[in-house]
Amino acid sequence: MTDPLRVIGWFDAPDQQVPVHDPPHNGPCMVCGEPLAMPLKTVSLMYSENGPRKSYFYRAHSPCIDTPEKGFAADEKAFHTVDILMGA
Ligand SMILES: [Zn+2]
């Protein structure tokens, strides 16, 4: 199991410019687990208004999330990883 802190980053408020936690840029891809390299994408997780106030994001190789299906699967994995991070 990948350490959630190595794949998930977050902002505490919507207007923050610098993340409170920024996972290593050479950390594991959310999808394949291999070290990140260009081209890569940073993806913000969308929560409902009732969700956490922090805004979470993850990174993945662009080819790992280049279809809606792959992107959806990666988001699911990321939401699950955030749950682990929050001790759910
Ligand atoms: Zn990948």
Side-chain angles (χ1 to χ4, degrees):
M1 175 70 209
T2 302
D3 180 353
L5 288 173
R6 287 182 51 76
V7 291
I8 299 289
W10 65 87
F11 296 88
D12 274 348
D15 57 353
Q16 274 183 329
Q17 301 296 316
V18 179
V20 174
H21 176 69
D22 193 16
H25 291 206
N26 61 351
C29 168
M30 176 59 74
V31 178
C32 70
E34 294 295 315
L36 289 169
M38 296 298 275
L40 58 83
K41 272 189 183 144
T42 301
V43 182
S44 297
L45 291 175
M46 300 296 174
Y47 280 94
S48 70
E49 282 181 29
N50 298 325
R53 290 192 55 84
K54 293 178 181 181
S55 65
Y56 292 94
F57 61 92
Y58 66 90
R59 295 192 180 91
H61 301 113
S62 295
C64 287
I65 53 171
D66 63 358
T67 65
E69 290 75 19
K70 287 184 194 172
F72 183 75
D75 283 359
E76 287 291 299
K77 200 170 170 183
F79 279 120
H80 180 65
T81 307
V82 170
D83 283 346
I84 293 168
L85 193 62
M86 296 193 303

